[in-house]
Amino acid sequence: MSWIREGELNLLEKISANILKAGPMPKHVAFIMDGNRRFARKKNMERQEGHMQGFNKLAETLRWCKHLDIREVTVYAFSIENFKRSKNEVDGLMELARHKFEKLLDEWENLEKHGVCVRVLGDLNMLPLDLQQLIAKAVVSTKAHNKCFLNVCFAYTSRYEITNAVREMAWGVEQGLIKASDVSEPLLSECLYSNKSPNPDLLIRTSGEVRLSDFLLWQTSHSCLVFQSVLWPEYSFWNLCEAILQYQLNHTSIQKARDLHREHQAFQQLEADRACVAEHLQHHGNGKPADAQRRQEALLRYSTCREERIQDFLEALKRKRDSFFNDLWSDGVST
């Protein structure tokens, strides 16, 4: 089954989509695609077939999102916790992933036509090497595409992602790229696997479960969360419309919360910069209090230097991550 489905919406779906698009639309939607195993039990089929049906539903959902002008989709494909399942099921999921990423590479021309950039978020080192190489090839070969974005969270949990971001900042301090005082909430966001993406506007979980299961905990603090009882393989265009309507009904309060959070972050950064400048002036001012103009000039110099340090650090981090994918891709080509 193709990753990219062609085809138009039917007349009723088109009318409904146009009505929805008259209101505020989410630009980035995240899915916890839950219910594949329960669907398999319900239909008396093998678990692996349930997971296959779940992938088919993802391809169909991506088509709906394209018609609804949703340019970015993030999906929870495989949690680190899933490694605790039976060996047969884990091996089956790895084999399914191999097959689907091979299929994706076969469809490169179609991905280029639609401008689809594929990103895989998670610790790929936990995966079999051949699967790592397939993923790296998919990521590297589509990284220049910019019309729409598919983020696949694989070997991922949010707590692991946050822990890794803290390690990256610690690495930056050890390398002398940033100072410990540069560490902040916005900088941590820039060190997450998802740093290239805006935070999701809408997160949808299927199957009736009402928990996030360690998915995008940091990124969804100001997102609309919608929990739906339908099993993922039975998800429909109308279920998606219902979730978008919930987002629209809550859009004003969500946007207000985001704006207040941005203002609070800016205020916190300003206060942190002032504290650093005050400490510096105290140690280098020969005991004389600095006047307001001198303090303001020092604050401007300090904030400019901090921003330059952070940009240099983020560029170094990007090179390190790009090198990981490029090396995997090169090793895969040479074998």
Side-chain angles (χ1 to χ4, degrees):
M1 186 63 69
S2 171
W3 283 73
I4 306 299
R5 294 269 191 94
E6 301 288 351
E8 295 296 322
L9 301 176
N10 65 41
L11 180 59
L12 186 55
E13 289 170 342
K14 282 182 180 178
I15 293 171
S16 301
N18 288 334
I19 292 171
L20 278 177
K21 287 192 284 187
M25 290 293 290
K27 297 178 178 63
H28 182 185
V29 178
F31 291 94
I32 301 178
M33 307 177 293
D34 196 17
N36 293 341
R37 294 194 295 175
R38 272 173 279 176
F39 174 78
R41 287 196 298 269
K42 177 181 173 182
K43 299 294 185 180
N44 295 314
M45 58 177 61
E46 295 293 325
R47 283 182 178 178
Q48 189 66 8
E49 180 61 25
H51 291 305
M52 180 67 77
Q53 293 296 323
F55 173 81
N56 293 343
K57 183 55 63 174
L58 169 60
E60 191 172 15
T61 302
L62 293 175
R63 180 176 69 88
W64 299 331
C65 288
K66 181 169 72 78
H67 286 296
L68 288 164
D69 297 335
I70 296 168
R71 296 184 65 245
E72 186 150 4
V73 171
T74 300
V75 297
Y76 205 0
F78 189 86
S79 166
I80 292 172
E81 295 297 312
N82 292 153
F83 282 113
K84 297 176 182 178
R85 294 181 179 179
S86 71
K87 184 178 184 302
N88 283 344
E89 185 173 1
V90 172
D91 288 348
L93 288 167
M94 293 298 114
E95 188 56 38
L96 177 62
R98 287 187 187 93
H99 175 69
K100 293 308 175 185
F101 277 104
E102 286 171 352
K103 179 67 176 175
L104 183 145
L105 292 169
D106 289 340
E107 297 180 339
W108 190 87
E109 289 184 0
N110 206 17
L111 293 171
E112 184 180 38
K113 171 186 170 183
H114 293 283
V116 180
C117 174
V118 178
R119 302 175 183 139
V120 179
L121 316 182
D123 188 349
L124 301 191
N125 290 307
M126 296 183 181
L127 304 174
L129 180 59
D130 64 326
L131 179 54
Q132 291 183 44
Q133 292 168 340
L134 279 172
I135 288 172
K137 190 172 182 181
V139 170
V140 172
S141 63
T142 65
K143 67 179 182 180
H145 300 169
N146 59 9
K147 291 181 182 177
C148 50
F149 303 88
L150 173 62
N151 307 310
V152 181
C153 293
F154 207 97
Y156 171 96
T157 66
S158 187
R159 284 176 293 182
Y160 191 95
E161 178 185 32
I162 293 167
T163 302
N164 184 69
V166 173
R167 289 195 198 100
E168 299 287 26
M169 291 188 292
W171 171 77
V173 173
E174 289 170 2
Q175 296 294 314
L177 296 169
I178 54 173
K179 298 180 179 180
S181 58
D182 296 332
V183 174
S184 64
E185 185 181 324
L187 182 58
L188 191 149
S189 295
E190 292 288 345
C191 294
L192 296 173
Y193 298 135
S194 62
N195 67 323
K196 295 179 181 178
S197 300
N199 290 337
D201 301 299
L202 171 63
L203 183 146
I204 299 168
R205 178 167 189 159
T206 58
S207 87
E209 296 290 345
V210 288
R211 53 195 170 88
L212 295 180
S213 295
D214 215 348
F215 179 56
L216 301 181
L217 302 179
W218 184 274
Q219 297 91 330
T220 57
S221 58
H222 298 98
S223 303
C224 179
L225 310 181
V226 176
F227 301 97
Q228 297 176 301
S229 60
V230 61
L231 300 177
W232 175 249
E234 298 176 325
Y235 203 69
S236 73
F237 176 79
W238 306 111
N239 294 129
L240 180 57
C241 289
E242 177 195 15
I244 293 171
L245 184 58
Q246 286 295 319
Y247 166 78
Q248 292 180 335
L249 292 172
N250 292 280
H251 176 262
T252 301
S253 60
I254 291 170
Q255 196 58 49
K256 182 177 180 181
R258 286 183 169 184
D259 291 343
L260 288 172
H261 182 64
R262 276 193 291 269
E263 290 175 11
H264 180 63
Q265 279 188 328
F267 176 76
Q268 282 186 317
Q269 187 63 68
L270 180 60
E271 289 297 297
D273 286 353
R274 283 174 173 165
C276 290
V277 167
E279 183 179 359
H280 176 79
L281 291 175
Q282 185 177 3
H283 284 93
H284 298 86
N286 299 319
K288 298 179 181 179
D291 58 33
Q293 182 177 351
R294 185 182 169 202
R295 288 198 303 272
Q296 187 62 32
E297 289 172 351
L299 179 62
L300 180 60
R301 284 195 301 273
Y302 178 83
S303 61
T304 300
C305 289
R306 174 182 54 76
E307 288 171 4
E308 289 174 353
R309 282 194 304 272
I310 288 173
Q311 285 306 310
D312 289 344
F313 161 64
L314 293 176
E315 287 173 9
L317 181 58
K318 180 180 183 299
R319 287 194 297 271
K320 184 172 76 163
R321 291 180 173 179
D322 287 347
S323 176
F324 173 79
F325 280 102
N326 289 331
D327 289 348
L328 271 177
W329 179 77
S330 298
D331 291 345
V333 170
S334 61
T335 55

